[in-house]
Amino acid sequence: MNEGTVTEPVEAQEPVEGHGDVSVDELALAAELTGSGERAASADIAEYALWLGDDALILAQQLGAWITYAPELEEDVALGNIALDLLGHARSFLRYAGSWDGRSEDDLAYFRDEAEFRSCWLVEQPNGDFAQTIARQFLVSTYMLELYSALRSSTDPTFAAIAEKAVKEVDYHRDHAVQWVLRLAGGTDESRARIIRAFGDVWPYAAELFRDEELIDRLGDAAVRPSTLRAAFDAVVAAVFAEAELEIPAGSTSAGGGRHGSHATELGHLLSEMQVLARRHPGATW
């Protein structure tokens, strides 16, 4: 996240089909951020930007841990690209959130404590085995695609601009997760058992994504009311589960609480790893 200017041209790579391409030449990286230079309209707008930015940031950190550990080389690349997309979304939202009180995106990513984060519990769930990561990714990307599709109509122009860019990338993220759900469910007895168990583990945390908080009432048309996304989310999940011959998990739902700073125990460990370098060498640049 550290800001800087790239002085040496880097040859652009051929884009992966269905995936956004990135070219880096002689430009300030900060200028790439959607909404860069805008000031948050209110404390509530900044808080909502934290919701969205923290979800993307924590999920990016989780997926980055799979690089060199994924089951095949192509997945190292795919999960790395998805993590970079999410990191870009996080940078845009956190920069916008920080414009309210003068904090930078790095301040918000590396120098907040656990209780100051607003990420949902689903993105905080551990990677587990590859099946659990895919189950979590399928639920999150399905939600994010519905969210960003709706957020493009936000009355806040910065939210609308970020969503316009993000929705194209998250469409790829969901497709990637769907293909793996089908592959694991239709593979060996072991892979099928693992994806069934994985959905059982992560499904209870999906409910938090669709809870309407008081903040949404105050923001009006600048935000997306979470409960309005549930029907479309459920329809996609049902269609994929039907094709994979899986059943919707039954059981209790998690209380959640991430939007208010109450988090799953795993977040503290993740933040310790993510923040250690910045906290040990504050203000360092490279």
Side-chain angles (χ1 to χ4, degrees), residues 5 52 82 100 104 106 111 117 120 139 150 160 164 167 217 227-228 233 247 258 269 284:
T5 301
L52 307 183
I82 292 171
W100 169 251
S104 70
D106 285 348
F111 297 99
F117 274 76
C120 66
L139 298 183
E164 187 65 43
V167 72
D217 295 330
S227 60
T228 64
F233 171 89
E247 295 183 1
H269 301 295

Side-chain angles (χ1 to χ4, degrees), residues 2-208:
N2 226 333
E3 297 177 31
T5 301
V6 176
T7 57
E8 295 295 329
V10 178
E11 183 178 351
Q13 301 296 314
E14 288 296 321
V16 178
E17 184 178 353
H19 190 67
D21 65 293
V22 178
S23 60
V24 182
D25 43 25
E26 295 183 1
L27 51 79
L29 291 180
E32 289 188 312
L33 298 182
T34 305
S36 178
E38 296 292 336
R39 187 181 190 280
S42 67
D44 284 342
I45 288 288
E47 178 75 3
Y48 188 57
L50 285 180
W51 285 21
L52 307 183
D54 286 349
D55 282 353
L57 175 63
I58 299 305
L59 189 57
Q61 180 73 9
Q62 299 267 44
L63 294 177
W66 276 104
I67 297 174
T68 76
Y69 290 98
E72 54 192 41
L73 180 60
E74 186 177 352
E75 275 309 294
D76 283 345
V77 176
L79 292 177
N81 278 333
I82 292 171
L84 285 173
D85 286 343
L86 291 166
L87 188 61
H89 306 166
R91 292 191 66 195
S92 292
F93 283 124
L94 293 183
R95 173 167 288 233
Y96 191 35
S99 68
W100 169 251
D101 58 9
R103 287 182 289 179
S104 70
E105 64 196 75
D106 285 348
D107 292 334
L108 292 172
Y110 300 127
F111 297 99
R112 279 184 297 158
D113 293 329
E114 180 180 336
E116 297 175 275
F117 274 76
R118 295 296 179 262
S119 48
C120 66
W121 282 25
L122 180 57
V123 300
E124 297 168 8
Q125 296 311 299
N127 283 336
D129 61 14
F130 186 69
Q132 178 151 329
T133 289
I134 291 299
R136 183 189 64 201
Q137 185 63 24
F138 170 61
L139 298 183
V140 175
S141 59
T142 299
Y143 157 76
M144 284 184 169
L145 184 54
E146 299 302 329
L147 170 67
Y148 292 145
S149 296
L151 195 61
R152 289 181 297 178
S153 300
S154 170
T155 54
D156 182 280
T158 300
F159 284 150
I162 296 171
E164 187 65 43
K165 178 178 183 295
V167 72
K168 302 170 186 176
E169 296 169 342
V170 175
D171 189 21
Y172 163 78
H173 302 174
R174 188 183 72 176
D175 181 67
H176 173 268
V178 167
Q179 296 308 313
W180 268 110
V181 169
L182 297 176
R183 183 174 175 183
L184 292 171
T188 65
D189 291 342
E190 177 69 15
S191 70
R192 183 171 179 82
R194 284 180 180 245
I195 195 65
I196 291 172
R197 181 174 67 243
F199 275 119
D201 289 342
V202 301
W203 182 260
Y205 301 100
E208 183 184 7

